[in-house]
Amino acid sequence: MVKIGNIELGEFPLLLAPMEDVSDPPFRQVCKENGADMMYTEFVSSEGLIRDAWKSKQKLDIFPYERPIGIQLFGSDVETMAECTRIAAAVNPDLIDINYGCPVKKVACKGAGAGLLQDIPRMVEMTKAVVDATDLPVTVKTRLGWNEETKNIEEVAERLQDVGIQALTIHGRTRAQLYKGEADWTLIAKIKNNPRIKIPIFGNGDIDSPEKALEYRNKYGVDGHMIGRAAIGYPWIFNEIKHFFATGEHLPPPTIRQRVEATKNHLKFSIEWKNERQGVLEMRRHYANYFRGLPHFKDYRMRLVQSLEPDELFSILDEVLAEFDGYFLEKIPKKVEYAGID
């Protein structure tokens, strides 16, 4: 049984990665319904939270069905991170996660996210301040290092464990790689096999099929997988992996009807969570992903992204079902390109 503090996650948990502009409550809902064992909020700016910024505060919204769920924080100032930890803990998440992995220039080059990989003493100081600021379990998500010449994840793992983190997720790329090339899991396995490391180690990067999930579980010995891009438009991947682990067989791919229903549910909750206009606008980024690979979908997509009326949107989705019901799509869609923040 994998545990983070007192949180029991099963024998081999599948975690939904925190992704900026993607993993909001509506998206998390469809992933939870399809087998995600633990999820995280989009990352929350400590500076924004201290300033009481509306966008940062809204990212603290969590719902009972999501549990267990962690709030992910990022920042460059130690005292500010400690203070925003206390603010985040007040909404009663199951844990606090610190982002030391974001490679985006506007974050990493300002001393936050993956930028802390260039200043390990400051990373350790910040982590200890967060741990001391809450009774909740604190976890970390990071990368192998800043670049190929500075892969310092072994030192990072040991020192962060020493100051009290209770789990570590490692993305198998350096900051310099961004999301390019293949993730290197060999160092992740080395951390897991380090006799000093007692906390759960989760691997992240390129898990996009049940076969790869099983291969990487067996080959690298991690405690669980964190899945990001492969879940965008395809939340079924979590249950597909679990079924493959248990039986060695594939679940049937989601039908067009299942894709339409998932899209409708996503849209419905997006509207309920925010408001009609904002919910409709924020859903626009998801339509192409839910129906990736469907021939001649472009015209439907254009109509979906142009409409502001929920009733019209649901009607268009009904049209998609009527035209394509019974059409077979590939089991796993083409990889979604995600250049956001995780």
Side-chain angles (χ1 to χ4, degrees):
M1 173 68 69
V2 176
K3 296 178 67 176
I4 301 176
N6 292 322
I7 306 167
E8 295 185 353
L9 295 175
E11 293 300 321
F12 192 87
L14 302 177
L15 285 56
L16 173 65
M19 294 178 284
E20 179 73 350
D21 292 329
V22 176
S23 52
D24 59 10
F27 179 74
R28 298 197 301 261
Q29 181 184 42
V30 294
C31 289
K32 188 69 173 183
E33 290 172 349
N34 286 281
D37 292 306
M38 182 163 173
M39 305 185 294
Y40 299 82
T41 63
E42 299 171 85
F43 80 162
V44 182
S45 165
S46 58
E47 295 289 344
L49 208 52
I50 292 296
R51 294 196 310 268
D52 204 29
W54 173 81
K55 186 174 182 180
S56 294
K57 288 190 67 177
Q58 190 175 48
K59 290 180 181 180
L60 298 183
D61 286 354
I62 56 177
F63 296 87
Y65 69 82
E66 299 184 283
R67 296 190 183 280
I69 185 166
I71 291 176
Q72 190 184 71
L73 306 174
F74 80 98
S76 59
D77 181 78
V78 173
E79 293 182 4
T80 301
M81 280 289 286
E83 179 58 27
C84 81
T85 296
R86 288 185 279 268
I87 296 171
V91 305
N92 196 32
D94 296 286
L95 61 82
I96 299 292
D97 188 74
I98 309 173
N99 182 309
Y100 293 140
C102 172
V104 176
K105 185 175 181 179
K106 66 180 181 180
V107 174
C109 293
K110 292 184 178 179
L116 272 299
L117 287 165
Q118 299 181 102
D119 190 347
I120 304 307
R122 187 169 182 80
M123 178 193 283
V124 173
E125 179 188 8
M126 182 177 291
T127 305
K128 186 177 189 306
V130 171
V131 170
D132 290 346
T134 180
D135 292 329
L136 294 171
V138 174
T139 63
V140 162
K141 183 168 189 266
T142 189
R143 288 180 172 238
L144 301 178
W146 180 255
N147 56 30
E148 193 68 25
E149 291 71 41
T150 58
K151 290 183 177 179
N152 49 15
I153 187 61
E154 292 180 82
E155 178 187 359
V156 166
E158 291 184 359
R159 294 186 67 178
L160 296 191
Q161 178 182 258
D162 289 347
V163 295
I165 70 166
Q166 298 193 38
L168 177 65
T169 299
I170 305 170
H171 183 118
R173 292 180 174 87
T174 64
R175 185 269 168 181
Q177 287 180 274
L178 301 178
Y179 298 94
K180 299 175 182 177
E182 290 188 8
D184 177 8
W185 283 57
T186 56
L187 269 179
I188 303 176
K190 191 172 182 180
I191 304 304
K192 175 58 190 173
N193 292 323
N194 181 342
R196 274 206 61 202
I197 298 298
K198 307 300 181 184
I199 59 176
I201 301 296
F202 302 113
N204 175 229
D206 296 348
I207 297 295
D208 57 9
S209 69
E211 292 90 346
K212 187 175 285 187
L214 181 62
E215 176 191 354
Y216 281 31
R217 184 191 73 174
N218 294 340
K219 186 175 182 179
Y220 299 111
V222 293
D223 294 293
H225 293 329
M226 179 178 280
I227 298 171
R229 286 176 292 172
I232 299 176
Y234 205 84
W236 301 276
I237 190 168
F238 298 100
N239 276 336
E240 288 186 356
I241 290 172
K242 290 180 177 181
H243 185 80
F244 192 75
F245 282 178
T247 68
E249 299 176 352
H250 287 287
L251 283 173
T255 63
I256 299 299
R257 182 175 297 276
Q258 288 173 309
R259 291 172 185 266
V260 167
E261 287 305 310
T263 308
K264 284 184 173 181
N265 290 339
H266 195 159
L267 172 60
K268 180 174 180 290
F269 189 41
S270 185
I271 292 169
E272 291 174 353
W273 175 53
K274 292 204 167 176
N275 56 63
E276 183 174 299
R277 180 177 176 81
Q278 197 64 29
V280 165
L281 291 175
E282 295 202 2
M283 188 63 192
R284 288 178 173 179
R285 64 175 67 98
H286 294 284
Y287 296 121
N289 292 320
Y290 274 116
F291 298 101
R292 186 172 298 274
L294 199 63
H296 314 301
F297 183 70
K298 183 178 179 180
D299 289 343
Y300 287 109
R301 178 182 176 276
M302 293 304 296
R303 292 170 61 195
L304 287 165
V305 300
Q306 290 171 355
S307 176
L308 290 172
E309 300 297 327
D311 288 345
E312 182 179 11
L313 290 167
F314 288 118
S315 178
I316 295 169
L317 289 168
D318 286 336
E319 290 181 42
V320 173
L321 175 60
E323 178 166 349
F324 294 102
D325 196 15
Y327 184 88
F328 178 81
L329 272 174
E330 293 181 17
K331 188 172 183 62
I332 296 290
K334 295 177 182 178
K335 182 179 288 187
V336 175
E337 293 302 321
Y338 173 67
I341 301 168
D342 75 340

